[in-house]
Amino acid sequence: PYKGVRHANMESLYEYGSRAGFWRLHRLFTERDMPCTVYACALALERNPEAGAAMVEAGWEVATHGYRWWDYQNVDEATERGHISKAVEVQKRVTGTRPVGIYQGKPGPNTLRLVAEEGGFLYNSDSYADDLPYWNTSFGRPMLIIPYTLDNNDMRFAQSLEGDRFFNYLKDAFDVLYAEGATSPKMMSIGLHCRIVGRPGRALGLAKFLDYVKSHQQVKKPPERG
């Protein structure tokens, strides 16, 4: 890894997500009238207000992915608290509303408590612990935990993702949960990254999966945000 210097190739890989990948995914979802939740790093949102405006216009929920992509395992409490506050402030300025959901992605031992103490979040997704949402009451007020996913996630295929492989994996997961849903509710989270599945050769697999989901009855889409 490069330490203390910028990595031009890596920067351009991420830039693809904001320049092209986001807009391809935006088309895939809006053409199918399927809203989604975007976990947006506030600094990235601030630097790409056009994307933020497109999310709002589409009726998507914009949750926060923190102020920037940091690992908070060894970050002091005051710094992390400040970053959470800054993320809320930036998103409110860019999109017009504050986030009610948060996924730091690399939380530390203080993260859940600091999120609860901030007071404005309705849910936290820094968990992979269940197939369904659940409540955490450890910090004075109930905090809804909506688990994220690392298996239904294009990051698993970042180096060698073919669209059909991604489609088949998502389809298998959906089929199991849909069958189980006949007797008890089920939820399926999917993690997407504009720089990964937003590539043309990968986006087709996602499109096929979205169409597959739409072909089924009794599938509840995420709620749109006004």
Side-chain angles (χ1 to χ4, degrees):
Y2 295 1
K3 295 184 178 180
V5 296
R6 294 175 63 174
H7 192 311
N9 282 347
M10 187 58 66
E11 288 184 14
S12 70
L13 287 169
Y14 275 77
E15 187 177 2
Y16 180 90
S18 61
R19 293 172 64 91
F22 169 79
W23 299 105
R24 180 168 290 115
L25 297 185
H26 182 270
R27 290 192 296 273
L28 288 181
F29 280 93
T30 56
E31 288 171 356
R32 291 164 175 79
D33 190 29
M34 297 183 74
C36 62
T37 294
V38 179
Y39 291 114
C41 284
L43 185 60
L45 198 61
E46 188 173 41
R47 293 179 177 179
N48 195 351
E50 295 84 2
M55 298 172 200
V56 173
E57 184 178 358
W60 297 354
E61 178 191 7
V62 185
T64 187
H65 204 359
Y67 179 60
R68 59 189 307 168
W69 183 233
W70 272 27
D71 185 341
Y72 287 94
Q73 181 63 37
N74 298 306
V75 173
D76 65 271
E77 183 175 322
T79 298
E80 185 175 8
R81 181 183 288 109
H83 281 193
I84 293 171
S85 177
K86 182 69 171 176
V88 171
E89 183 273 321
V90 168
Q91 184 167 321
K92 186 174 182 179
R93 173 161 41 85
V94 174
T95 69
T97 58
R98 64 152 294 146
V100 297
I102 183 170
Y103 172 65
Q104 287 279 53
K106 295 182 179 181
N110 300 313
T111 300
L112 184 58
R113 175 173 56 82
L114 293 176
V115 169
E117 289 176 357
E118 194 276 339
F121 288 105
L122 301 181
Y123 73 89
N124 184 307
S125 288
D126 281 307
S127 173
Y128 314 96
D130 209 319
D131 291 325
L132 289 171
Y134 60 94
W135 292 99
N136 182 295
T137 58
S138 300
F139 301 107
R141 59 182 289 262
M143 175 63 67
L144 183 64
I145 307 299
I146 302 180
Y148 189 55
T149 176
L150 293 181
D151 69 310
N152 299 322
N153 194 310
D154 61 3
M155 282 295 294
R156 297 179 60 245
F157 305 99
Q159 299 300 318
S160 60
L161 170 64
E162 299 90 24
D164 279 346
R165 284 181 64 209
F166 194 44
F167 167 73
N168 288 329
Y169 190 90
L170 295 180
K171 178 180 177 297
D172 286 350
F174 176 85
D175 287 347
V176 169
L177 293 171
Y178 191 81
E180 293 178 350
T183 56
S184 61
K186 296 296 175 182
M187 179 187 77
M188 182 175 178
S189 294
I190 302 170
L192 306 173
H193 299 79
C194 300
R195 70 186 187 278
I196 300 176
V197 78
R199 294 280 179 174
R202 297 167 174 169
L204 183 59
L206 174 61
K208 289 167 61 177
F209 177 72
L210 296 180
D211 291 339
Y212 182 72
V213 171
K214 284 179 69 71
S215 72
H216 288 69
Q217 302 296 318
Q218 300 181 6
V219 176
K220 183 175 178 60
K221 298 183 296 184
E224 293 190 20
R225 299 284 175 175

